[in-house]
Amino acid sequence: MAEALADLVVAAPGGMAPEIASPRVESLVDMARRRIAAGGVRRRPVLPLGLPGRMNSGGLLPTGPGLRGVQTFAIGSSSERQAAHTQDGRPSLR
């Protein structure tokens, strides 16, 4: 995903960029709780925050065609991380 964003930054202006997204929908609250549970982060309460309008009901999710990454927040083992990369070691954007 970072490589795709970097390519967009250095490319000539070309209008609207394609949507770039994770391969699945993630909850920020769940991701924060998993990160704290994994250790290395000070334990703090994690509370959901309701946002107004469409932001609370998937309004920021991609709706059109575009790049979808393969690595999810949950990938943790080295074999899973390796499977999510190309042969040259760079992240895959399948």
Side-chain angles (χ1 to χ4, degrees):
M1 304 286 289
E3 184 179 352
L5 288 173
D7 289 344
L8 288 172
V9 168
V10 298
M16 188 66 133
E19 292 182 340
I20 300 174
S22 168
R24 70 177 193 198
V25 175
E26 298 278 4
S27 160
L28 185 58
V29 171
D30 290 340
M31 290 190 308
R33 287 179 178 155
R34 285 184 283 179
R35 177 65 180 103
I36 290 169
V41 177
R42 195 171 91 193
R43 295 189 64 82
R44 295 182 178 182
V46 178
L47 304 172
L49 174 66
L51 299 173
R54 294 186 59 218
M55 288 180 63
N56 206 31
S57 61
L60 297 178
L61 296 174
T63 56
L67 297 173
R68 301 296 180 262
V70 295
Q71 184 171 349
T72 66
F73 186 79
I75 291 178
S77 74
S78 60
S79 61
E80 289 173 316
R81 281 194 302 272
Q82 184 61 36
H85 287 70
T86 59
Q87 287 182 347
D88 63 0
R90 296 185 317 183
S92 172
L93 288 174
R94 287 183 264 155

